[in-house]
Amino acid sequence: GEDVEQSLFLSVREGDSSVINCTYTDSSSTYLYWYKQEPGAGLQLLTYIFSNMDMKQDQRLTVLLNKKDKHLSLRIADTQTGDSAIYFCAEWVNNDMRFGAGTRLTVKP
Amino acid sequence: GAVVSQHPSRVICKSGTSVKIECRSLDFQATTMFWYRQFPKQSLMLMATSNEGSKATYEQGVEKDKFLINHASLTLSTLTVTSAHPEDSSFYICSASESAYGYTFGSGTRLTVV
């Protein structure tokens, strides 16, 4: 089957940059998303990128897309304790959404 | 790892009928499950938080009488779309958490109301 994969855990120090990686297998993805989930809450859309783009920057967030390698990354600059959460990548393919299992980001003071 | 089974994957129903979507955690217990809806070419929208043994918590703008949620056991939550209309056609997806493994999503349900 088609999978979206991401590592489960990432720990960084406050002020450092965080890079969360994701790989997907379906080359027909049209949109790729990054969501954030804080404890006890639902998903919050952080950003998305069209499949014909290589990069998208939004304040502290930078999304990089390598279509050849089917690799998506989310970089958070100057990571803060409030960024501690679970981050999900997702792809939109043929009107369906497919999610990774989520990367739990822990930010240490 | 944790598995969430969502059924059915696709359903077509007539306008005015009701449709039930099931979300099961297969190998873990989930006191909380989330229900989402996705509109075409838009991001996922949280509809409600399903709490085992108590009433669901609905997001603002979501009609609780239209989207009935029942979380009767630690492994099953159901979403019933009552008196469905074409504008209810959408992609519905649930998620649940087993604390050690993060959140797991169901495979989603594509609802088409004709």
Side-chain angles (χ1 to χ4, degrees):
Chain A
E2 305 292 347
D3 290 323
V4 177
E5 296 186 351
Q6 50 185 130
S7 53
L8 290 181
F9 302 99
L10 176 65
S11 180
V12 300
R13 292 210 173 273
E14 191 174 15
D16 289 348
S17 292
S18 305
V19 179
I20 303 171
N21 295 302
C22 172
T23 57
Y24 59 98
T25 55
D26 197 320
S27 59
S28 58
S29 301
T30 50
Y31 297 85
L32 294 128
Y33 302 86
W34 282 105
Y35 289 86
K36 176 183 181 182
Q37 185 171 22
E38 298 185 16
L43 291 180
Q44 170 197 356
L45 177 65
L46 285 180
T47 186
Y48 65 92
I49 188 168
F50 293 106
S51 59
N52 62 356
M53 297 171 63
D54 298 324
M55 186 184 83
K56 180 178 180 179
Q57 187 156 1
D58 183 2
Q59 299 181 348
R60 292 191 297 125
L61 305 179
T62 302
V63 178
L64 294 177
L65 175 61
N66 182 328
K67 286 197 72 176
K68 175 176 174 290
D69 295 337
K70 298 188 184 69
H71 182 265
L72 181 74
S73 68
L74 173 69
R75 179 177 181 270
I76 305 173
D78 187 24
T79 312
Q80 302 298 307
T81 54
D83 294 324
S84 293
I86 301 176
Y87 292 82
F88 295 89
C89 69
E91 59 174 347
W92 192 62
V93 181
N94 298 327
N95 294 326
D96 284 339
M97 289 281 280
R98 298 173 190 155
F99 287 84
T103 298
R104 186 178 296 274
L105 174 65
T106 302
V107 182
K108 299 178 180 178
Chain B
V3 177
V4 171
S5 173
Q6 187 172 341
H7 179 79
S9 58
R10 296 182 188 277
V11 58
I12 300 173
C13 71
K14 290 185 177 181
S15 185
T17 61
S18 295
V19 174
K20 180 184 285 188
I21 303 170
E22 292 187 348
C23 182
R24 292 181 185 273
S25 55
L26 294 187
D27 48 4
F28 66 99
Q29 294 182 330
T31 56
T32 302
M33 293 185 179
F34 298 96
W35 285 98
Y36 298 87
R37 176 178 178 178
Q38 189 202 13
F39 295 92
K41 297 185 178 180
Q42 296 184 31
S43 63
L44 230 56
M45 180 191 81
L46 176 64
M47 298 175 67
T49 302
S50 174
N51 305 299
E52 188 268 334
S54 65
K55 293 182 180 180
T57 305
Y58 289 83
E59 295 299 304
Q60 191 173 9
V62 178
E63 299 176 62
K64 63 179 70 174
D65 294 330
K66 180 166 188 61
F67 299 99
L68 300 179
I69 291 174
N70 184 285
H71 195 154
S73 77
L74 286 170
T75 59
L76 174 64
S77 175
T78 60
L79 168 68
T80 302
V81 183
T82 62
S83 187
H85 288 92
E87 57 266 31
D88 298 324
S89 297
S90 189
F91 183 75
Y92 296 86
I93 193 166
C94 67
S95 77
S97 173
E98 185 194 27
S99 59
Y101 298 104
Y103 286 81
T104 304
F105 287 83
S107 54
T109 298
R110 168 74 52 194
L111 171 64
T112 304
V113 184
V114 297

